[in-house]
Amino acid sequence: MISVEEILEYLNSDRIVEMTEEMHACSLQQSQNAIRQTMELNTKYHTPEEIVRIMSELTGEEVDESFMLFPPFYTDFGRNIHIGKHVFINSCCNFQDQGGIYIGDHVLIGHRVVLATIDHDLDPFDRSNHCAPIRIGNRVWIGAGAIITKGVTVSDGAVIAAGAVVTKDVPANTVVGGVPAKVIKKIEAAEKVDH
């Protein structure tokens, strides 16, 4: 029997070959696990500590105690989400994570943000899945209702405006907005002095 770890290795390898029936069955089982875990998360009150525990179970990785999430939260796989320290995810976010979602430290993610690591072939007779990771750097702020598509890297210090559709990499310390998102301005970050 194939394992979830083998599925993750396959998903993270940029292969174009179709999954075998056994791989597809394992992936589908993991999706069912993610549905069960997010239903538990979303249907009753949990303390912040319980949310960290549930997210650790969902991702299969130890989520830092500094993590905060306001449910509901949705994902269709769960095991390819990687969360840094001091991350806040607001309510109604949807992470389609088969391609991999990597979130740095001190990241703010607003209401109803969609991170979609999969799309489909344009050929109407072959709608194969195409996966690529989304990478979010440190100290990024993603505004409410933003959508980030597969293969995008959002560099450190960037801001994604509310409602933006991000289809291309975002440079560090910039604000992007619109559909498709474009650079609106550069951010002049204050130098932090440690005392």
Side-chain angles (χ1 to χ4, degrees), residues 23-39:
M23 293 169 79
H24 183 69
C26 181
S27 182
L28 186 58
Q29 181 58 51
Q30 177 53 39
S31 292
Q32 292 302 305
N33 290 340
I35 291 168
R36 179 183 48 76
Q37 290 165 316
T38 54
M39 286 295 288

PDB file of all heavy atoms in Angstrom, residues 23-39:
ATOM      1  N   MET A  23      -2.163   5.400  -6.189  1.00  0.00           N
ATOM      2  CA  MET A  23      -1.812   6.740  -5.726  1.00  0.00           C
ATOM      3  C   MET A  23      -3.052   7.612  -5.620  1.00  0.00           C
ATOM      4  O   MET A  23      -3.222   8.352  -4.650  1.00  0.00           O
ATOM      5  CB  MET A  23      -0.791   7.373  -6.675  1.00  0.00           C
ATOM      6  CG  MET A  23       0.555   6.687  -6.672  1.00  0.00           C
ATOM      7  SD  MET A  23       1.607   7.266  -8.013  1.00  0.00           S
ATOM      8  CE  MET A  23       2.177   8.802  -7.329  1.00  0.00           C
ATOM      9  N   HIS A  24      -3.915   7.533  -6.611  1.00  0.00           N
ATOM     10  CA  HIS A  24      -5.143   8.316  -6.594  1.00  0.00           C
ATOM     11  C   HIS A  24      -6.014   7.926  -5.393  1.00  0.00           C
ATOM     12  O   HIS A  24      -6.576   8.795  -4.718  1.00  0.00           O
ATOM     13  CB  HIS A  24      -5.906   8.129  -7.901  1.00  0.00           C
ATOM     14  CG  HIS A  24      -7.140   8.962  -7.988  1.00  0.00           C
ATOM     15  ND1 HIS A  24      -7.102  10.334  -8.101  1.00  0.00           N
ATOM     16  CD2 HIS A  24      -8.455   8.618  -7.933  1.00  0.00           C
ATOM     17  CE1 HIS A  24      -8.345  10.806  -8.128  1.00  0.00           C
ATOM     18  NE2 HIS A  24      -9.171   9.779  -8.026  1.00  0.00           N
ATOM     19  N   ALA A  25      -6.119   6.622  -5.106  1.00  0.00           N
ATOM     20  CA  ALA A  25      -6.918   6.159  -3.970  1.00  0.00           C
ATOM     21  C   ALA A  25      -6.353   6.683  -2.648  1.00  0.00           C
ATOM     22  O   ALA A  25      -7.101   7.120  -1.767  1.00  0.00           O
ATOM     23  CB  ALA A  25      -6.979   4.634  -3.956  1.00  0.00           C
ATOM     24  N   CYS A  26      -5.023   6.670  -2.507  1.00  0.00           N
ATOM     25  CA  CYS A  26      -4.383   7.180  -1.297  1.00  0.00           C
ATOM     26  C   CYS A  26      -4.606   8.688  -1.160  1.00  0.00           C
ATOM     27  O   CYS A  26      -4.907   9.187  -0.080  1.00  0.00           O
ATOM     28  CB  CYS A  26      -2.890   6.853  -1.313  1.00  0.00           C
ATOM     29  SG  CYS A  26      -2.002   7.409   0.153  1.00  0.00           S
ATOM     30  N   SER A  27      -4.475   9.404  -2.262  1.00  0.00           N
ATOM     31  CA  SER A  27      -4.702  10.853  -2.259  1.00  0.00           C
ATOM     32  C   SER A  27      -6.148  11.178  -1.879  1.00  0.00           C
ATOM     33  O   SER A  27      -6.413  12.091  -1.097  1.00  0.00           O
ATOM     34  CB  SER A  27      -4.364  11.422  -3.637  1.00  0.00           C
ATOM     35  OG  SER A  27      -4.526  12.810  -3.660  1.00  0.00           O
ATOM     36  N   LEU A  28      -7.071  10.413  -2.422  1.00  0.00           N
ATOM     37  CA  LEU A  28      -8.491  10.602  -2.101  1.00  0.00           C
ATOM     38  C   LEU A  28      -8.753  10.329  -0.625  1.00  0.00           C
ATOM     39  O   LEU A  28      -9.501  11.060   0.031  1.00  0.00           O
ATOM     40  CB  LEU A  28      -9.358   9.703  -2.974  1.00  0.00           C
ATOM     41  CG  LEU A  28     -10.865   9.890  -2.863  1.00  0.00           C
ATOM     42  CD1 LEU A  28     -11.276  11.320  -3.190  1.00  0.00           C
ATOM     43  CD2 LEU A  28     -11.576   8.906  -3.779  1.00  0.00           C
ATOM     44  N   GLN A  29      -8.110   9.298  -0.067  1.00  0.00           N
ATOM     45  CA  GLN A  29      -8.259   8.993   1.361  1.00  0.00           C
ATOM     46  C   GLN A  29      -7.733  10.142   2.212  1.00  0.00           C
ATOM     47  O   GLN A  29      -8.346  10.522   3.208  1.00  0.00           O
ATOM     48  CB  GLN A  29      -7.534   7.689   1.723  1.00  0.00           C
ATOM     49  CG  GLN A  29      -7.678   7.304   3.182  1.00  0.00           C
ATOM     50  CD  GLN A  29      -9.125   7.140   3.607  1.00  0.00           C
ATOM     51  OE1 GLN A  29      -9.894   6.443   2.961  1.00  0.00           O
ATOM     52  NE2 GLN A  29      -9.507   7.795   4.691  1.00  0.00           N
ATOM     53  N   GLN A  30      -6.586  10.730   1.820  1.00  0.00           N
ATOM     54  CA  GLN A  30      -6.058  11.865   2.562  1.00  0.00           C
ATOM     55  C   GLN A  30      -7.007  13.056   2.470  1.00  0.00           C
ATOM     56  O   GLN A  30      -7.201  13.768   3.450  1.00  0.00           O
ATOM     57  CB  GLN A  30      -4.660  12.260   2.060  1.00  0.00           C
ATOM     58  CG  GLN A  30      -4.081  13.488   2.740  1.00  0.00           C
ATOM     59  CD  GLN A  30      -4.069  13.397   4.256  1.00  0.00           C
ATOM     60  OE1 GLN A  30      -3.803  12.342   4.836  1.00  0.00           O
ATOM     61  NE2 GLN A  30      -4.361  14.497   4.918  1.00  0.00           N
ATOM     62  N   SER A  31      -7.623  13.264   1.312  1.00  0.00           N
ATOM     63  CA  SER A  31      -8.614  14.344   1.183  1.00  0.00           C
ATOM     64  C   SER A  31      -9.784  14.114   2.131  1.00  0.00           C
ATOM     65  O   SER A  31     -10.287  15.060   2.750  1.00  0.00           O
ATOM     66  CB  SER A  31      -9.106  14.437  -0.259  1.00  0.00           C
ATOM     67  OG  SER A  31      -8.066  14.883  -1.092  1.00  0.00           O
ATOM     68  N   GLN A  32     -10.219  12.862   2.271  1.00  0.00           N
ATOM     69  CA  GLN A  32     -11.298  12.544   3.214  1.00  0.00           C
ATOM     70  C   GLN A  32     -10.864  12.817   4.651  1.00  0.00           C
ATOM     71  O   GLN A  32     -11.644  13.321   5.452  1.00  0.00           O
ATOM     72  CB  GLN A  32     -11.748  11.083   3.047  1.00  0.00           C
ATOM     73  CG  GLN A  32     -12.443  10.802   1.726  1.00  0.00           C
ATOM     74  CD  GLN A  32     -13.670  11.673   1.530  1.00  0.00           C
ATOM     75  OE1 GLN A  32     -14.566  11.690   2.377  1.00  0.00           O
ATOM     76  NE2 GLN A  32     -13.714  12.403   0.435  1.00  0.00           N
ATOM     77  N   ASN A  33      -9.607  12.508   4.976  1.00  0.00           N
ATOM     78  CA  ASN A  33      -9.080  12.823   6.305  1.00  0.00           C
ATOM     79  C   ASN A  33      -9.103  14.327   6.545  1.00  0.00           C
ATOM     80  O   ASN A  33      -9.474  14.791   7.629  1.00  0.00           O
ATOM     81  CB  ASN A  33      -7.647  12.304   6.467  1.00  0.00           C
ATOM     82  CG  ASN A  33      -7.568  10.807   6.536  1.00  0.00           C
ATOM     83  OD1 ASN A  33      -8.555  10.129   6.826  1.00  0.00           O
ATOM     84  ND2 ASN A  33      -6.397  10.262   6.258  1.00  0.00           N
ATOM     85  N   ALA A  34      -8.702  15.096   5.535  1.00  0.00           N
ATOM     86  CA  ALA A  34      -8.695  16.560   5.662  1.00  0.00           C
ATOM     87  C   ALA A  34     -10.114  17.090   5.869  1.00  0.00           C
ATOM     88  O   ALA A  34     -10.325  18.004   6.672  1.00  0.00           O
ATOM     89  CB  ALA A  34      -8.044  17.196   4.439  1.00  0.00           C
ATOM     90  N   ILE A  35     -11.075  16.526   5.170  1.00  0.00           N
ATOM     91  CA  ILE A  35     -12.476  16.940   5.362  1.00  0.00           C
ATOM     92  C   ILE A  35     -12.913  16.664   6.793  1.00  0.00           C
ATOM     93  O   ILE A  35     -13.526  17.510   7.459  1.00  0.00           O
ATOM     94  CB  ILE A  35     -13.401  16.231   4.346  1.00  0.00           C
ATOM     95  CG1 ILE A  35     -13.138  16.750   2.936  1.00  0.00           C
ATOM     96  CG2 ILE A  35     -14.872  16.418   4.724  1.00  0.00           C
ATOM     97  CD1 ILE A  35     -13.789  15.918   1.842  1.00  0.00           C
ATOM     98  N   ARG A  36     -12.593  15.475   7.302  1.00  0.00           N
ATOM     99  CA  ARG A  36     -12.960  15.108   8.671  1.00  0.00           C
ATOM    100  C   ARG A  36     -12.321  16.065   9.680  1.00  0.00           C
ATOM    101  O   ARG A  36     -12.982  16.569  10.591  1.00  0.00           O
ATOM    102  CB  ARG A  36     -12.536  13.668   8.960  1.00  0.00           C
ATOM    103  CG  ARG A  36     -12.866  13.201  10.371  1.00  0.00           C
ATOM    104  CD  ARG A  36     -12.360  11.789  10.652  1.00  0.00           C
ATOM    105  NE  ARG A  36     -10.983  11.548  10.279  1.00  0.00           N
ATOM    106  CZ  ARG A  36      -9.920  11.982  10.970  1.00  0.00           C
ATOM    107  NH1 ARG A  36     -10.093  12.681  12.068  1.00  0.00           N
ATOM    108  NH2 ARG A  36      -8.698  11.721  10.550  1.00  0.00           N
ATOM    109  N   GLN A  37     -11.021  16.340   9.506  1.00  0.00           N
ATOM    110  CA  GLN A  37     -10.312  17.198  10.446  1.00  0.00           C
ATOM    111  C   GLN A  37     -10.807  18.642  10.395  1.00  0.00           C
ATOM    112  O   GLN A  37     -10.943  19.290  11.431  1.00  0.00           O
ATOM    113  CB  GLN A  37      -8.810  17.113  10.180  1.00  0.00           C
ATOM    114  CG  GLN A  37      -8.248  15.756  10.566  1.00  0.00           C
ATOM    115  CD  GLN A  37      -6.867  15.497  10.002  1.00  0.00           C
ATOM    116  OE1 GLN A  37      -6.595  15.767   8.834  1.00  0.00           O
ATOM    117  NE2 GLN A  37      -5.979  14.956  10.821  1.00  0.00           N
ATOM    118  N   THR A  38     -11.076  19.149   9.194  1.00  0.00           N
ATOM    119  CA  THR A  38     -11.584  20.525   9.114  1.00  0.00           C
ATOM    120  C   THR A  38     -13.020  20.617   9.605  1.00  0.00           C
ATOM    121  O   THR A  38     -13.411  21.654  10.161  1.00  0.00           O
ATOM    122  CB  THR A  38     -11.450  21.108   7.690  1.00  0.00           C
ATOM    123  OG1 THR A  38     -12.074  20.243   6.752  1.00  0.00           O
ATOM    124  CG2 THR A  38      -9.992  21.319   7.315  1.00  0.00           C
ATOM    125  N   MET A  39     -13.806  19.557   9.441  1.00  0.00           N
ATOM    126  CA  MET A  39     -15.160  19.559  10.015  1.00  0.00           C
ATOM    127  C   MET A  39     -15.091  19.637  11.537  1.00  0.00           C
ATOM    128  O   MET A  39     -15.851  20.371  12.174  1.00  0.00           O
ATOM    129  CB  MET A  39     -15.939  18.309   9.593  1.00  0.00           C
ATOM    130  CG  MET A  39     -16.396  18.329   8.153  1.00  0.00           C
ATOM    131  SD  MET A  39     -17.608  19.625   7.816  1.00  0.00           S
ATOM    132  CE  MET A  39     -19.034  18.945   8.651  1.00  0.00           C
TER     133      MET A  39
END
